[in-house]
Amino acid sequence: EVQLVESGGGLVQPGGSLRLSCAASGFTFSSYEMNWVRQAPGKGLEWVLYISGSGSTMYYADSVKGRFTISRDNAKNSLYLQMNSLRAEDTAVYYCARVCSGDCFDAFDIWGQGTMVTVSS
Amino acid sequence: QSALTQPRSVSGSPGQSVTISCTGTSSDVGGYNYVSWYQQHPGKAPKLMIFDVNKRPSGVPDRFSGSKSGNTASLTISGLQAEDEADYYCCSYAGSYTHYVFGTGTKVTVL
């Protein structure tokens, strides 16, 4: 079964750090571009980070640039999100999402269940 | 990069059709045929319903269809069913810098 499972969320103080993980299974992880998408409580979806299949190319939303880092370990079939200098407005459910391939372009066809990050003192 | 604009809510009776608009700019929706739509039920992860403007992944009912004209994309749900009640988000590729932008989201209510 194709699956993404996030972990690592929790409560962190403003200015703190947290590292999220996303474990992939059921597909050739290295062949797919991956993203992190977040959703603040009661709000809409917001794309935040992208990484290519090889890990050589990354893109960041302006809201997290300089604070968040996306990375991947294809040998471990895992995606990571390192979050530093966290702010209250970073409070959200964080989803990892796979970019489709084949005759499909730039759509997220597989999503994890999400992990909640709460930034509060 | 501003979010794509969607109506906050639409509603319809079972069996009716509803259409959700998604308005962007020539830098996103109007510039690429890479618009996708997602359905999200409360407390659940989003689910891909439409990709590349008007294509359906396997398993998505053909009641769901997509289209685009200029800077506005649309999702139409025909033959509305109770299980279609959910939030719907559009998303567009927006170039190598911004990369992706989501819509503001639309709540579909089945009366």
Side-chain angles (χ1 to χ4, degrees):
Chain A
E1 179 191 6
V2 175
Q3 197 173 10
L4 297 171
V5 179
E6 301 95 336
S7 60
L11 175 64
V12 61
Q13 292 189 338
S17 297
L18 205 60
R19 189 194 196 207
L20 306 183
S21 299
C22 171
S25 59
F27 63 99
T28 304
F29 181 64
S30 60
S31 297
Y32 288 85
E33 303 164 9
M34 298 294 297
N35 294 263
W36 287 98
V37 176
R38 69 183 180 182
Q39 186 171 35
K43 302 297 183 181
L45 300 171
E46 178 190 13
W47 169 79
V48 284
L49 303 111
Y50 159 96
I51 189 167
S52 62
S54 65
S56 61
T57 302
M58 291 84 79
Y59 295 106
Y60 300 79
D62 287 343
S63 57
V64 304
K65 200 168 296 183
R67 301 187 300 120
F68 290 12
T69 302
I70 188 172
S71 62
R72 65 192 297 161
D73 185 336
N74 287 339
K76 295 183 177 179
N77 292 331
S78 292
L79 177 72
Y80 304 104
L81 173 55
Q82 178 66 44
M83 301 184 292
N84 298 329
S85 302
L86 281 161
R87 307 165 179 167
E89 54 264 36
D90 296 318
T91 294
V93 174
Y94 285 75
Y95 296 100
C96 60
R98 187 183 84 169
V99 178
C100 60
S101 69
D103 65 349
C104 172
F105 296 92
D106 291 301
F108 308 122
D109 63 344
I110 303 296
W111 295 68
Q113 84 287 355
T115 187
M116 183 70 202
V117 172
T118 302
V119 183
S120 174
S121 55
Chain B
Q1 179 75 32
S2 299
L4 307 176
T5 301
Q6 297 180 232
R8 289 185 65 97
S9 64
V10 298
S11 62
S13 300
Q16 289 186 331
S17 295
V18 296
T19 296
I20 304 167
S21 61
C22 169
T23 302
T25 69
S26 58
S27 297
D28 39 63
V29 175
Y32 307 93
N33 287 324
Y34 302 145
V35 176
S36 51
W37 289 90
Y38 302 86
Q39 177 191 66
Q40 186 180 35
H41 287 107
K44 300 296 186 181
K47 174 188 176 183
L48 178 63
M49 304 301 284
I50 295 287
F51 65 93
D52 296 354
V53 176
N54 56 14
K55 299 177 183 176
R56 280 187 311 277
S58 62
V60 172
D62 59 6
R63 304 184 289 104
F64 292 85
S65 62
S67 62
K68 191 187 88 166
S69 177
N71 296 337
T72 298
S74 299
L75 173 72
T76 297
I77 310 173
S78 305
L80 202 60
Q81 298 184 6
E83 59 262 35
D84 299 333
E85 185 162 294
D87 293 324
Y88 291 82
Y89 295 89
C90 61
C91 182
S92 175
Y93 178 72
S96 59
Y97 179 74
T98 304
H99 226 60
Y100 299 110
V101 59
F102 279 95
T104 49
T106 299
K107 181 174 180 58
V108 171
T109 301
V110 182
L111 302 172

